[in-house]
Amino acid sequence: ERKVKVTSTSDEPVSPASLICDPCETLGACFERHIDKSLAPKERDDQELFYAFALSVKDQMLPKWRATRQQDREAGNKRVAYLSLEFLMGRALSNALLNLDMNQETEQVLKDYAVALEQLEEQEHDAGLGNGGLGRLAACFLDSCASQDLNVTGYGIRYEYGMFAQKLWDGYQVERPDRWLRDGNPWEVRVPSHNVTVPFFGHTESYIDRDGKRQYTWVETQDVLAVAYDMPVPGYRNERINTLRLWKSEATDDFDLEEFNQGDYTEAVARKNLAEQITMVLYPNDASENGKELRLRQQYFLSSASLQDLLNTWVSQHGADFTDFARQHVMQLNDTHPSVAIPELMRLLMDKYGLGWDQAWTITSQTMAYTNHTLLPEALERWPVRMFAHMLPRLLDIIYEINARYLDMVAHHWPGDGDKLRAMSIIEEGDEPHIRMAYLAIVASFSVNGVAGLHTQLLTSGLFKDFYALWPEKFNNKTNGVTPRRWLAQSNPALAQLLNKRLGEGWVKDLSRLSALNAFTDDKELIKAWQAAKQSNKRQLAALVKQECGVSFDPKMMFDVQVKRIHEYKRQLLNILHVIHLYHLIQQGKLTDITPRCVLIGGKAAPGYAMAKLLIKLANNVAHMVNSDPLVTPYLRFAFYPNYNVSAMERICPATDLSEQISTAGKEASGTGNMKFMMNGALTIGTLDGANIEMLEEVGEDNFFLFGLTADEVEALKPHYDPQHFIAKSQALSEVMSLLESGHFNLLEPGIFDPIIDSIRCPKDPWMIAADFESYRLAQVQAAKSYRDPHHWTQMSIRNTAASGRFSSDVTIGQYRDEIWGIA
Ligand code: GFP
């Protein structure tokens, strides 16, 4: 009998699956075992094969996974918990094979089953547990933490329904539920031994304890069970497997005992749903969803379960002695979404473990660190005090106390300044008082960081200016990054092979090595190979676009791409207006400045964001006119890519020539798509916004198409912005507006685009579309001209890849490690 029973060497749970894992079993044997276990092993389809194969890969990880936990515990390594409501992981299979160095073995194994790896990969559902940049950043960070051998656990929510699937119906976005768990999730391990209960509602009572101290309890709560599901996060070829722990809400067994006892058994069982609702669906990032009670429930559920988990582990090893706890832990809050962890940690330390306020506060304020991801006012979370009082009454007491103590300090700093107190208070006054979660996060955290240089500067000089005056030492910048494993090595094998040949494989772990490419920008052989790789990627994308959009992209044309959430500040509109301009020029036969190009836009609009949805409709209508005019299509094609997600980006990014990063300056905190494109050798057309600024610094103005107002200029223009002036000044924009206003793109649907037209013409347009159009157009002319010289374009492309080393999330995580987390 070859299969041995692996017994637990620790207090860590052993999943039933892991019990039958043999550390010596080969991938092939493991795969065979999983296939044999299925009901009809002979009639397997690709989905079943994928499932069995993924289980086998997971089995191969289990011994290392277990060893990682044991090693961290024995070494007493400091623990970082990355708390995030979103982890946009995408697919796991290819990434696992790459990081575990199992590609060759896989090829061998699958040969016997006459199935190609790509076939299986296509079966995997994206884990779409995030909206966009923020969630994808969390996923890149997990990869970098594991790859750098850091003891970091991701804590999140196991949503039953991830980000909705986007369908197009007559050019309009239609949302469909994303039931990603329908076919099961082969990567997860349910770990019931880590279950905790999370209290809601009820009320607070106080009493005097034996030592005469006033103590508080939270009573008559409705408890919900948090069940842990662990997902492995393999490091790049380094034996470490970190954990992403996702919580699922379930009803506790003793739910509604009252009702049980009164004989209303079925009613009580039906109520179970209420508990299970908490982790049912991911909230789309949408102003209209703000203030939803269920969202606060999710935030508290994640925060409480994760903190209880950390404290339980601590207590199992150290007893209830918390002297060293702060030295051993950091909680990184990914935006304010999990910031309710602050009062929750205070509550657990005081009410459950009996610590006094001062000790609990010292621990809390030495372990919490907060990352801000946006300056947009509508994205800054505020919760009605009323909602807290009802749902989390004990936490409200604690927040009031934190606020009172902190306002004493403010009053000391700015004596007699009542306005300052009001402006800086965690509680916003008014008919409906609110809790300002960002302020709570700043007050309680030892570190507050922005995600790009400009963003951090705008935080400290604007939004959080007063806090910066009070605690300059808390504030720091950590420019975002993306993982080169997924975003280059895995998604762009053609380029990766070329890099391996030229530079060796070291770049995958140390992306700064790409700078060595600068020595070869005149190397004809490299240039040829570089072009061949790009062409092959473009052919693949063209096939995908044909399949998904029904539009023929010609790989000989320039691929001009903008993929990201649809939002006014990201200015997909500017891009569409430019397409209209090109269309108009071509129809008039003005072809001097035209370089044939295929324009691709993709992204989801939040379901309640009418303007963003209208932009999708406009893109589709314009695309229809462009693609159905045979005079135009030799020069211009335009497609809207439906259901843009992580897997789509893996195909789009390597094939892109021109990357559109065109947000209104000062609005995009960082951007991360911009970095992925740069790494893959796309040139950027962009504004001085977010991390674009740092990308430009690295690659130089000669290799970047810069345009538009600066953040300062946008602010200065605001009070007297006059779009009519800019429209009149630009012949191109005047013509585009006339065409749009004539109803040319909506002949059968009169007036539907009026809100868009009005927004451009409105002096209050915060995105300043009209102001930047002409400068954008000129940058596009420049890009088009450059593309007509393939040799020079390729040199610029190589320089972009060469300069992208700084935007590896390994670099960013190195900075978090040294400057915030203080871990070895
Ligand atoms: C947000 C910000 C981006 C930033 C990411 C990650 O992403 O500028 O790069 O967070 O920090 F807006 P989105 O959710 O907007 O994509």
Side-chain angles (χ1 to χ4, degrees):
E1 171 61 83
R2 233 163 57 79
K3 296 178 184 76
V4 293
K5 185 174 171 192
V6 179
T7 46
S8 174
T9 48
S10 69
D11 63 334
E12 287 291 333
V14 185
S15 74
S18 64
L19 284 171
I20 49 160
C21 164
D22 171 357
C24 307
E25 192 180 30
T26 62
L27 179 66
C30 205
F31 188 35
E32 200 182 312
R33 171 165 59 80
H34 280 294
I35 289 179
D36 281 349
K37 271 198 325 198
S38 65
L39 261 183
K42 298 240 159 57
E43 293 157 34
R44 60 208 172 215
D45 61 14
D46 283 357
Q47 173 58 224
E48 282 166 349
L49 280 181
F50 159 72
Y51 204 87
F53 190 68
L55 285 176
S56 317
V57 176
K58 184 177 68 183
D59 280 0
Q60 299 283 303
M61 281 192 264
L62 282 168
K64 290 182 189 168
W65 200 357
R66 195 188 292 275
T68 302
R69 289 181 178 191
Q70 192 175 345
Q71 172 200 317
D72 284 336
R73 203 175 27 256
E74 284 171 4
N77 288 340
K78 187 171 187 176
R79 287 191 78 176
V80 175
Y82 196 85
L83 266 52
S84 179
L85 270 282
E86 302 187 15
F87 284 94
L88 190 43
M89 302 299 284
R91 290 173 173 160
L93 179 58
S94 325
N95 188 248
L97 295 179
L98 173 78
N99 282 14
L100 299 166
D101 200 6
M102 283 170 59
N103 274 316
Q104 275 186 355
E105 201 182 347
T106 295
E107 216 173 280
Q108 283 304 320
V109 170
L110 294 184
K111 221 191 252 165
D112 294 343
Y113 293 83
V115 61
L117 176 59
E118 296 77 57
Q119 237 170 300
L120 297 193
E121 283 168 346
E122 283 306 308
Q123 297 302 317
E124 183 170 2
H125 291 276
D126 268 44
L129 309 184
N131 275 277
L134 176 144
R136 185 52 232 175
L137 183 76
C140 282
F141 279 6
L142 290 186
D143 181 75
S144 283
C145 288
S147 296
Q148 295 192 34
D149 207 13
L150 303 180
N151 180 19
V152 177
T153 304
Y155 279 103
I157 289 185
R158 182 181 176 275
Y159 301 104
E160 300 284 324
Y161 293 88
M163 187 60 177
F164 64 84
Q166 178 192 56
K167 301 263 180 232
L168 294 174
W169 192 78
D170 191 24
Y172 287 102
Q173 167 178 298
V174 183
E175 301 90 28
R176 290 275 172 264
D178 165 46
R179 186 106 198 253
W180 72 292
L181 293 168
R182 171 162 293 154
D183 300 318
N185 175 5
W187 304 108
E188 67 186 15
V189 178
R190 186 180 158 108
V191 231
S193 55
H194 276 260
N195 289 1
V196 292
T197 53
V198 179
F200 289 94
F201 307 109
H203 60 271
T204 317
E205 279 176 2
S206 74
Y207 63 94
I208 305 293
D209 72 7
R210 254 191 260 155
D211 306 326
K213 279 204 309 204
R214 183 168 293 281
Q215 302 285 5
Y216 294 85
T217 47
W218 185 0
V219 296
E220 292 179 22
T221 53
Q222 292 177 29
D223 294 346
V224 175
L225 194 65
V227 182
Y229 283 75
D230 286 358
M231 309 258 279
V233 183
Y236 180 73
R237 300 182 187 181
N238 66 354
E239 303 294 306
R240 172 173 283 271
I241 312 277
N242 275 343
T243 299
L244 168 59
R245 180 159 289 170
L246 299 178
W247 297 105
K248 174 179 192 285
S249 64
E250 292 184 7
T252 56
D253 285 340
D254 50 355
F255 58 96
D256 284 331
L257 263 186
E258 277 287 284
E259 235 164 323
F260 260 24
N261 295 339
Q262 285 161 17
D264 213 346
Y265 169 77
T266 37
E267 262 300 296
V269 176
R271 291 266 179 102
K272 215 164 123 27
N273 283 341
L274 287 179
E276 298 189 343
Q277 252 177 30
I278 296 177
T279 54
M280 195 54 75
V281 61
L282 166 77
Y283 270 92
N285 189 346
D286 188 342
S288 74
E289 298 284 357
N290 278 350
K292 291 282 166 69
E293 188 178 313
L294 185 58
R295 169 79 174 167
L296 179 58
R297 283 230 245 170
Q298 291 183 336
Q299 297 185 347
Y300 178 62
F301 178 76
L302 163 69
S303 305
S304 178
S306 310
L307 290 174
Q308 290 188 55
D309 193 45
L310 291 167
L311 291 171
N312 287 346
T313 306
W314 176 263
V315 170
S316 73
Q317 289 163 13
H318 303 86
D321 176 0
F322 291 93
T323 327
D324 277 338
F325 184 85
R327 256 194 297 280
Q328 292 293 321
H329 290 86
V330 176
M331 272 63 91
Q332 188 72 43
L333 308 175
N334 198 22
D335 217 309
T336 55
H337 313 153
S339 58
V340 65
I342 292 161
E344 176 64 0
L345 183 56
M346 291 294 290
R347 178 186 79 86
L348 291 166
L349 291 174
M350 294 190 300
D351 298 2
K352 185 165 176 193
Y353 294 107
L355 271 57
W357 179 278
D358 290 337
Q359 198 192 350
W361 179 250
T362 304
I363 291 174
T364 303
S365 57
Q366 286 178 358
T367 51
M368 295 288 171
Y370 158 52
T371 304
N372 174 284
H373 293 267
T374 179
L375 293 153
L376 296 188
E378 70 266 27
L380 291 177
E381 289 192 300
R382 299 149 64 251
W383 289 107
V385 166
R386 181 180 41 83
M387 205 184 276
F388 256 80
H390 177 58
M391 190 196 303
L392 307 169
R394 177 65 184 123
L395 297 209
L396 184 60
D397 298 341
I398 293 171
I399 292 173
Y400 277 147
E401 184 64 27
I402 293 174
N403 197 36
R405 291 174 184 235
Y406 144 73
L407 286 181
D408 275 351
M409 187 180 170
V410 176
H412 190 73
H413 202 267
W414 285 283
D417 191 342
D419 289 344
K420 196 61 99 192
L421 280 181
R422 257 187 300 283
M424 292 180 76
S425 172
I426 294 171
I427 310 292
E428 182 183 299
E429 292 167 12
D431 293 342
E432 168 84 84
H434 279 79
I435 305 174
R436 295 157 161 159
M437 301 308 278
Y439 291 8
L440 174 64
I442 298 173
V443 170
S445 296
F446 69 89
S447 162
V448 179
N449 75 283
V451 289
L454 173 68
H455 174 229
T456 303
Q457 187 193 316
L458 293 173
L459 284 180
T460 52
S461 64
L463 196 61
F464 299 151
K465 188 169 70 180
D466 292 336
F467 295 90
Y468 183 59
L470 204 53
W471 294 300
E473 70 287 354
K474 284 192 187 190
F475 288 81
N476 62 90
N477 178 59
K478 297 284 166 282
T479 298
N480 284 162
V482 300
T483 169
R485 266 76 61 188
R486 182 175 295 259
W487 295 113
L488 190 49
Q490 174 194 325
S491 60
N492 196 346
L495 188 57
Q497 273 161 28
L498 191 55
L499 295 173
N500 288 347
K501 231 166 85 188
R502 281 284 166 162
L503 311 173
E505 292 182 19
W507 60 270
V508 183
K509 280 192 87 162
D510 173 9
L511 204 67
S512 68
R513 295 203 192 174
L514 292 182
S515 65
L517 284 170
N518 282 321
F520 304 116
T521 49
D522 288 322
D523 182 325
K524 296 223 172 68
E525 202 187 310
L526 179 75
I527 289 183
K528 230 173 100 195
W530 198 273
Q531 290 169 341
K534 181 64 81 180
Q535 275 302 307
S536 135
N537 292 335
K538 286 171 79 171
R539 279 194 297 274
Q540 289 178 36
L541 179 59
L544 188 67
V545 169
K546 182 77 196 169
Q547 176 192 311
E548 298 296 318
C549 320
V551 180
S552 298
F553 272 18
D554 180 348
K556 286 197 287 298
M557 296 163 81
M558 175 205 265
F559 281 15
D560 170 356
V561 175
Q562 185 176 25
V563 284
K564 49 183 77 236
R565 286 193 300 120
I566 308 291
H567 199 291
E568 287 164 282
Y569 87 77
K570 298 184 189 269
R571 293 203 296 197
Q572 282 90 357
L573 178 55
L574 200 52
N575 190 351
I576 301 170
L577 296 182
H578 179 250
V579 172
I580 297 177
H581 162 66
L582 293 179
Y583 166 80
H584 187 59
L585 283 185
I586 298 164
Q587 284 202 321
Q588 290 179 315
K590 294 182 181 160
L591 301 175
T592 7
D593 282 341
I594 302 286
T595 294
R597 71 167 92 194
C598 300
V599 180
L600 187 69
I601 295 185
K604 294 175 185 176
Y609 187 175
M611 196 60 160
K613 292 175 107 169
L614 196 56
L615 289 170
I616 293 179
K617 172 67 175 163
L618 178 63
N620 279 301
N621 280 23
V622 172
H624 176 72
M625 296 301 281
V626 166
N627 301 327
S628 51
D629 186 338
L631 275 182
V632 174
T633 50
Y635 306 99
L636 180 65
R637 297 168 197 186
F638 183 24
F640 185 88
Y641 191 93
N643 200 34
Y644 170 68
N645 60 10
V646 174
S647 295
M649 182 57 161
E650 288 171 17
R651 313 279 286 275
I652 293 170
C653 190
T656 296
D657 294 308
L658 186 66
S659 150
E660 301 266 351
Q661 306 301 333
I662 59 179
S663 51
T664 315
K667 305 295 180 195
E668 186 71 274
S670 160
T672 44
N674 47 1
M675 301 167 181
K676 293 168 200 164
F677 284 114
M678 183 193 197
M679 238 173 234
N680 283 272
L683 273 78
T684 303
I685 181 163
T687 47
L688 281 173
D689 201 14
N692 289 356
I693 297 175
E694 289 151 73
M695 286 164 45
L696 177 67
E697 258 168 41
E698 293 294 304
V699 77
E701 280 206 37
D702 292 345
N703 305 294
F704 192 107
F705 303 104
L706 179 66
F707 76 93
L709 298 172
T710 63
D712 285 345
E713 286 165 352
V714 167
E715 279 311 301
L717 183 59
K718 218 190 238 170
H720 36 85
Y721 178 47
D722 175 15
Q724 315 308 334
H725 161 79
F726 289 100
I727 296 170
K729 233 176 49 177
S730 159
Q731 192 194 338
L733 183 55
S734 304
E735 288 170 0
V736 167
M737 292 303 285
S738 303
L739 206 53
L740 203 51
E741 282 162 340
S742 73
H744 183 75
F745 300 102
N746 50 315
L747 288 175
L748 299 174
E749 302 152 295
I752 58 164
F753 295 130
D754 288 357
I756 292 178
I757 294 163
D758 294 346
S759 79
I760 301 170
R761 291 198 177 278
C762 174
K764 288 212 171 68
D765 172 22
W767 323 117
M768 300 203 174
I769 295 281
D772 270 352
F773 181 85
E774 191 56 23
S775 145
Y776 177 55
R777 186 187 69 79
L778 290 172
Q780 285 285 17
V781 169
Q782 214 38 56
K785 209 168 134 198
S786 303
Y787 193 77
R788 291 200 288 271
D789 178 350
H791 182 82
H792 183 229
W793 182 274
T794 308
Q795 289 181 313
M796 293 194 291
S797 166
I798 296 172
R799 281 185 207 118
N800 267 274
T801 301
S804 68
R806 179 170 154 199
F807 306 104
S808 162
S809 45
D810 294 345
V811 175
T812 316
I813 284 301
Q815 294 167 355
Y816 276 83
R817 175 194 64 206
D818 297 340
E819 298 162 22
I820 302 180
W821 301 340
I823 51 176

